[in-house]
């Protein structure tokens, strides 16, 4: 502080006029900036447009013109939070001269995400999450099954239109004045701080959810924008409070194993069949059938241990049910809508049923009558301990559905071949595909009508046609079950067979349409000829593996041991289910993301050198005819086999398992010939040395 003397001899404080002037000018500048914003319509953009956009997105999610308005009325705070998030995103336009272009582009992106969510919800119950962005390749393949040519063309046209509009926003709308960063940045920070504060208050007060157990309901309650944004940042398993060596060590200490089991015969094979979109349709209300669509499965459920099977997904997400069964881990502990097959398991080996059984002399086989790279299974299965993976690229299917899925009957021979391939006990995990959507709504669709479906409450003929198609696929899947059981009974080996549905079909079934259970419950059954006993009981998908291993006297694996110990403790009443699940989450974190304290700090599981196809594809001989037709002779070729000449794929005709033909081959001396099964495997190169031979 500086004192100055007046002429009358008194003193006064010197004011920092320069500093005060800067503050005054800055405040005046903000006022002017605000006035300019009002004049230029920015306030309208930051208030009205976010509100309208949230209403539009929620209407698309609910498939109702009034859906957005209903969201505003019944969930006003969640609506406000979603609108504040959009408004904050819009303020980033203040950093650019083309502010309106940025605002409209951001709005278009949000709208397209909402539209994509609305489309997804036509085919499944689970809303769109960021994890779906990792499934684009698989999604395009599946889309062809659900949409006809006009539908696909419509989507392409919409995307092109969106691209044109997006470009127009940047190229056609004129630029404004140069951004005043000293004024716009504080506004942006204030907008994001306000949005963050609103979200924080909502989460603390319970007006916004932080855990999404029922994903579909959470999206409806909290809004698409909030939930989708949460799925972008919420991945993996968060580090538990109190995570330490002591807490992890307590989870499996003093585990003594289950009571000994005496087998009637030799140590049993284990066959698990995951049935695509399969459940007991006799649970449907007001729907009748000309005959029981599932005679074999329902008979098994009556005669052998069975019950409700709780799965984490509805209508889609097969691999998350599969993940829980194979690892014993709870998918609810991972990020919102996350697919571990697409994230952590692509890079990391993990304890599984296969690893636990292999330590007892088992050979581990995976079989799937669909493409091997679907959901990246060809990359994930080695990290789950499988020795051989036979996908459809290594099969010779004889029958396909009307929507071009392989019929599951082909799995009988594949499972038998796997069991016959070794003298040791085998673990076979088979994933079916026949029940997969889409389900045609046209009554004239060409397929075998084994069962006639009728309903006293469903008046939509197209919807009833879809159910009818689905039920008739289930009928054939049930015939597959009968043939599989017949084959296993005819063998001279003890076997445990477990079958379950991965999720309900994408047919908009609701709890109200079911006579029992929920849409998150399918059915399971356990058959065996090894003298093992199981009880009828409902099961979570992650409980199946430890239950099975316990009866087989297998206590290997930290997750398996924890489940078996905790199950006994819950039966004794010493721990609650909540404590059981919380500790399971801690163990999952330690194994996949933490310090692997449970393993002494070092992962004991090493990825296998998994073989694609039980019988390897081999080239025996290559010859070139006078007509420049390249004939490749070998073993185990399929219709997926592709001839490569010096690494370049050539037009390939499949004749039979021993012969492939390349018409009009352009080949030179010493060219290297290989045969690839899609992108999954490739033969040892065959060096071509004889340019021409007689026919």
């Amino acid at each position: 502080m500086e004192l100055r003397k007046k002429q009358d001899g008194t003193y006064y404080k010197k004011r920092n006029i320069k500093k005060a002037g800067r503050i005054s000018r800055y405040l005046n500048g903000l006022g002017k900036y605000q006035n300019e914003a009002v004049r230029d319509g920015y306030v309208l953009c930051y208030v009205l447009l976010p509100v309208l956009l949230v209403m539009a997105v929620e209407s698309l999610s609910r498939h109702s013109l009034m859906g957005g308005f209903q969201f505003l009325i019944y969930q006003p705070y969640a609506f406000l939070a979603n609108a504040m998030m959009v408004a904050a995103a819009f303020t980033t336009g203040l950093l650019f001269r083309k502010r309106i272009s940025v605002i409209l582009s951001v709005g278009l992106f949000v709208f397209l995400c909402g539209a994509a969510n609305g489309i997804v919800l036509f085919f499944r119950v689970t809303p769109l999450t960021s994890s779906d962005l990792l499934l684009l390749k698989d999604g395009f393949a599946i889309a062809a099954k659900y949409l006809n040519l006009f539908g696909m063309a419509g989507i392409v046209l919409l995307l092109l239109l969106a691209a044109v509009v997006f470009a127009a926003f940047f190229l056609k709308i004129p630029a404004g004045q140069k951004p005043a960063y000293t004024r716009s940045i504080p506004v942006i920070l204030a907008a994001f701080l306000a949005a963050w504060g609103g979200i924080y208050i909502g989460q603390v007060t319970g007006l916004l959810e932080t855990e999404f157990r029922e994903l579909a309901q959470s999206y409806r309650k909290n809004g698409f924008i909030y939930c989708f944004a949460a799925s972008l940042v919420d991945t993996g398993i968060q580090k538990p409070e109190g995570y330490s060596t002591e807490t992890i060590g307590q989870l499996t200490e003093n585990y003594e194993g289950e009571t000994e089991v005496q087998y009637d015969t030799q140590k049993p094979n284990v066959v698990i069949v995951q049935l695509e979109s399969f459940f007991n349709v006799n649970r449907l209300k007001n729907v009748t059938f000309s005959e029981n669509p599932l005679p074999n499965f329902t008979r098994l459920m009556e005669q052998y241990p069975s019950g409700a099977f709780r799965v984490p997904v509805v209508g889609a997400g097969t691999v998350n049910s599969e993940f829980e069964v194979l690892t014993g881990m709870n998918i609810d502990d991972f990020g919102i809508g996350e697919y571990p097959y697409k994230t952590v398991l692509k890079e990391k080996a993990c304890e599984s049923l296969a690893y636990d059984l292999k330590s007892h002399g088992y050979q581990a086989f995976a079989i799937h009558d669909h493409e091997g790279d679907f959901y990246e299974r060809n990359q994930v299965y080695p990290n789950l301990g499988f020795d051989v993976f036979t996908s459809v690229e290594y099969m010779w299917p004889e029958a396909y559905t009307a929507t071009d899925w392989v019929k599951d009957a082909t799995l009988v021979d594949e499972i038998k071949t796997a069991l016959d391939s070794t003298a040791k006990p085998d673990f076979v995990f088979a994933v079916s595909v026949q029940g997969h959507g889409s389900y045609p709504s046209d009554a004239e669709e060409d397929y075998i009508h084994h069962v006639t479906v009728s309903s006293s409450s469903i008046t939509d003929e197209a919807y009833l046609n879809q159910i009818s198609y689905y039920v008739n696929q289930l009928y054939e899947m049930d015939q597959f079950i009968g043939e599989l059981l017949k084959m296993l009974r005819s063998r001279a080996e003890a076997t445990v067979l477990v079958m379950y549905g991965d999720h309900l079909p994408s047919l908009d079934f609701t709890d109200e349409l079911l006579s029992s259970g929920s849409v998150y419950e399918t059915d399971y059954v356990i058959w065996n000829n090894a003298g093992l006993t199981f009880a009828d009981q409902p099961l979570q998908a992650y409980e199946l593996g430890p239950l099975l291993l316990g009866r087989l006297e297998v206590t290997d694996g930290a997750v398996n041991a924890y489940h078996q110990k905790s199950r006994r403790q819950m039966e004794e009443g010493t721990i609650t289910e909540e404590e059981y699940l919380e500790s399971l989450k801690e163990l999952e974190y330690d194994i996949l993301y933490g310090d692997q304290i449970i393993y002494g700090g070092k992962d004991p599981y090493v990825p296998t050198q998994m073989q694609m196809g039980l019988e390897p594809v081999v080239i025996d001989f290559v010859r070139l005819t006078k007509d420049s037709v390249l004939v490749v002779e070998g073993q185990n070729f399929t219709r997926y086999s592709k001839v490569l000449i010096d690494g370049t794929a050539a037009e390939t005709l499949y004749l039979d398992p021993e012969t492939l033909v390349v018409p009009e081959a352009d080949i030179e001396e010493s060219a290297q010939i290989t045969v690839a099964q899609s992108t999954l495997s490739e033969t040892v190169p065959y060096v071509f040395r004889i340019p021409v031979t007689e026919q």
Side-chain angles (χ1 to χ4, degrees):
M1 180 178 66
E2 181 181 352
L3 297 178
R4 289 196 174 186
K5 188 177 181 179
K6 296 182 179 180
Q7 292 181 356
D8 60 5
T10 60
Y11 290 87
Y12 68 94
K13 297 178 181 179
K14 179 185 177 183
R15 295 181 180 179
N16 192 340
I17 297 175
K18 185 177 181 181
K19 182 177 180 181
R22 285 201 306 266
I23 295 175
S24 178
R25 286 195 301 271
Y26 184 72
L27 292 175
N28 290 335
L30 283 179
K32 182 181 179 182
Y33 186 72
Q34 182 180 19
N35 292 333
E36 290 175 352
V38 173
R39 184 193 66 202
D40 295 339
Y42 292 162
V43 172
L44 190 67
C45 291
Y46 301 142
V47 177
L48 182 59
L49 186 56
V51 168
L52 293 176
L53 187 57
V54 172
M55 295 189 75
V57 166
E58 294 304 321
S59 294
L60 290 169
S61 298
R62 289 162 169 76
H63 301 154
S64 168
L65 291 175
M66 296 298 293
F69 184 73
Q70 292 170 347
F71 181 51
L72 171 62
I73 296 300
Y74 294 110
Q75 303 292 341
Y77 193 90
F79 187 99
L80 175 63
N82 280 260
M84 291 175 69
M85 292 174 67
V86 174
F90 282 178
T91 61
T92 58
L94 298 175
L95 297 173
F96 303 90
R97 295 185 64 186
K98 291 191 174 185
R99 302 167 189 174
I100 300 299
S101 296
V102 173
I103 290 172
L104 294 179
S105 298
V106 171
L108 177 63
F109 174 76
V110 173
F111 179 80
L112 289 176
C113 288
N117 181 54
I119 294 172
V120 164
L121 290 175
F122 274 115
F123 305 110
R124 73 185 197 197
V125 175
T126 307
L128 185 75
T129 69
S130 60
S131 294
D132 289 306
L133 302 179
L134 300 174
L135 300 174
L136 287 178
K137 176 177 69 69
D138 297 330
F140 287 130
I142 292 296
K145 305 286 187 180
Y146 284 90
L147 301 173
N148 57 26
L149 181 61
F150 293 105
M152 294 290 288
I155 290 177
V156 171
L157 288 175
L158 284 175
L159 291 176
L160 289 175
L161 178 62
V164 170
V165 173
F166 182 82
F169 287 159
F170 275 92
L171 299 177
K172 299 299 182 182
I173 297 178
Q177 297 179 354
K178 183 179 179 180
Y181 296 117
T182 57
R183 301 168 184 173
S184 59
I185 290 177
V187 172
I188 295 171
L189 293 176
F192 275 90
L193 183 62
W196 177 84
I199 292 172
Y200 178 76
I201 292 172
Q203 292 176 341
V204 170
T205 58
L207 294 172
L208 292 173
E209 293 180 344
T210 57
E211 295 186 359
F212 301 83
R213 296 295 184 185
E214 297 284 354
L215 204 55
Q217 293 302 318
S218 293
Y219 267 63
R220 293 182 69 86
K221 180 180 178 181
N222 300 278
F224 168 77
I225 295 169
Y226 170 79
C227 292
F228 186 81
S231 74
L232 288 170
V233 298
D234 182 15
T235 58
I237 302 175
Q238 302 304 311
K239 184 177 182 179
E241 294 183 9
Y243 172 70
S244 66
T245 301
E246 291 73 24
T247 56
I248 296 299
Q250 293 171 1
L251 297 183
T252 56
E253 66 180 1
N254 301 324
Y255 181 70
E256 299 175 353
E258 295 283 332
T259 304
E260 284 193 6
V261 176
Q262 298 297 323
Y263 300 108
D264 290 345
T265 56
Q266 62 179 324
K267 199 168 187 177
N269 297 315
V270 176
V271 179
I272 297 180
V273 180
Q274 178 173 278
L275 298 162
E276 172 64 40
S277 300
F278 186 95
F279 84 112
N280 186 355
V281 286
N282 294 295
R283 290 165 51 196
L284 287 174
K285 289 181 182 177
N286 303 320
V287 177
T288 57
F289 312 106
S290 58
E291 61 178 284
N292 182 4
L294 304 172
N296 293 301
F297 192 80
T298 53
R299 187 182 308 114
L300 284 170
M301 291 189 68
E302 292 169 358
Q303 298 176 356
Y304 295 93
S306 60
F309 195 66
R310 182 80 177 185
V311 293
V313 290
V314 180
T318 292
V319 289
N320 279 354
S321 298
E322 181 176 318
F323 168 79
E324 289 199 346
V325 170
L326 289 175
T327 66
M329 296 185 181
N330 184 358
I331 202 68
D332 288 343
D333 297 332
F334 290 77
I336 299 170
E338 183 173 351
Y339 294 91
Y341 273 32
K342 286 286 187 177
T343 54
V344 63
L345 287 190
K346 287 180 65 175
E347 309 295 336
K348 189 179 186 67
C350 176
E351 177 188 330
S352 69
L353 272 172
Y355 278 122
D356 291 342
L357 287 169
K358 285 174 67 174
S359 63
H360 289 257
Y362 281 76
Q363 185 90 349
F365 300 88
I367 300 173
H368 183 31
D369 50 352
H370 189 51
E371 295 168 1
D373 61 355
F374 195 54
Y375 284 118
E376 317 289 354
R377 283 186 174 98
N378 60 312
Q379 298 179 46
V380 172
Y381 280 167
N383 291 332
L384 291 176
F386 286 99
D387 301 302
V388 180
F389 177 27
T390 302
S391 58
V392 73
E393 289 88 349
Y394 303 86
M395 299 179 185
W396 296 268
E398 296 181 357
Y400 293 80
T401 68
T403 51
D404 206 31
W405 300 107
V406 175
K407 292 193 175 183
D408 289 337
T410 194
L411 291 175
V412 176
D413 286 340
E414 297 298 334
I415 294 173
K416 182 178 185 300
T417 300
L419 294 174
D420 289 343
S421 66
T422 73
K424 60 174 64 175
D426 299 309
F427 169 50
V428 178
F429 183 74
V431 179
S432 90
V433 76
Q434 182 169 353
H436 206 296
S438 66
Y439 310 107
S441 59
D442 187 353
E444 302 301 319
E445 188 70 40
D446 185 19
Y447 67 94
I448 302 175
H449 292 70
H450 307 279
V451 180
T452 302
V453 180
S454 58
S455 174
S456 59
S457 59
I458 299 175
T459 57
D460 185 340
E461 183 177 350
Y463 183 48
L464 194 60
N465 288 338
Q466 288 184 297
I467 296 176
S468 178
Y469 176 87
Y470 167 69
V471 167
N472 279 278
Q473 299 311 308
L474 287 187
Y475 178 90
E476 294 185 359
M477 294 173 71
D478 184 78
Q479 298 304 300
F480 149 67
I481 290 171
E483 290 300 313
L484 174 62
L485 193 60
K486 180 180 177 181
M487 181 271 290
L488 294 176
R489 279 174 167 157
S490 68
R491 295 174 53 80
E493 295 183 8
T495 303
V496 180
L497 171 64
V498 182
M499 295 179 288
Y500 64 87
D502 61 349
H503 55 70
L504 263 65
S506 54
L507 281 171
D508 293 329
F509 291 152
T510 63
D511 291 351
E512 291 71 27
L513 291 176
L514 302 176
S515 60
S516 63
S518 78
V519 293
Y520 286 93
E521 290 178 355
T522 62
D523 307 272
Y524 80 92
V525 65
I526 303 175
W527 170 91
N528 80 93
N529 60 357
L532 304 181
T533 58
F534 299 86
D536 288 343
Q537 59 184 311
L539 287 177
Q540 296 277 355
Y542 53 77
E543 295 177 319
L544 176 61
L547 174 67
L548 177 62
L549 293 176
R551 301 311 301 148
L552 293 172
E553 301 175 327
V554 175
T555 60
D556 302 66
V559 176
N560 175 46
Y562 171 75
H563 276 295
Q564 294 184 24
K565 171 188 174 182
S566 299
R567 189 178 186 88
R568 184 177 59 190
Q569 290 177 324
M570 283 195 294
E571 291 173 353
E572 296 170 350
T574 56
I575 64 170
T576 64
E577 183 177 11
E578 183 178 354
E579 292 171 329
Y580 157 60
L581 292 176
E582 191 61 34
S583 294
L584 175 61
K585 184 176 181 179
E586 293 180 10
L587 185 60
E588 294 164 352
Y589 172 82
D590 180 60
I591 290 173
L592 293 177
Y593 304 97
D595 300 326
Q596 298 190 321
I597 297 169
I598 199 69
Y599 299 140
K602 184 178 180 181
D603 192 347
Y605 301 104
V606 178
T608 61
Q609 298 297 314
M610 188 179 74
Q611 175 180 307
M612 289 301 305
L614 188 58
E615 299 294 337
V617 180
V618 177
I619 297 177
D620 292 330
F621 183 68
V622 177
R623 58 190 175 90
L624 187 68
T625 70
K626 290 181 178 180
D627 298 325
S628 296
V629 175
L630 190 71
V631 180
V632 180
E633 299 175 358
Q635 304 168 42
N636 304 310
F637 299 144
T638 72
R639 70 183 184 92
Y640 288 88
S641 298
K642 186 69 110 177
V643 175
L644 278 65
I645 302 176
D646 288 330
T648 301
E651 179 186 357
T652 304
L653 302 179
Y654 168 77
L655 297 186
D656 56 54
E658 289 78 39
T659 313
L660 299 175
V661 168
V662 177
E664 300 180 1
D666 183 12
I667 187 170
E668 298 179 356
E669 174 74 18
S670 300
Q672 290 198 340
I673 311 297
T674 58
V675 173
Q677 302 301 111
S678 183
T679 60
L680 302 174
S681 67
E682 195 170 330
T683 62
V684 174
Y686 181 99
V687 179
F688 181 75
R689 297 192 182 281
I690 306 175
V692 179
T693 64
E694 294 294 329
Q695 290 190 5

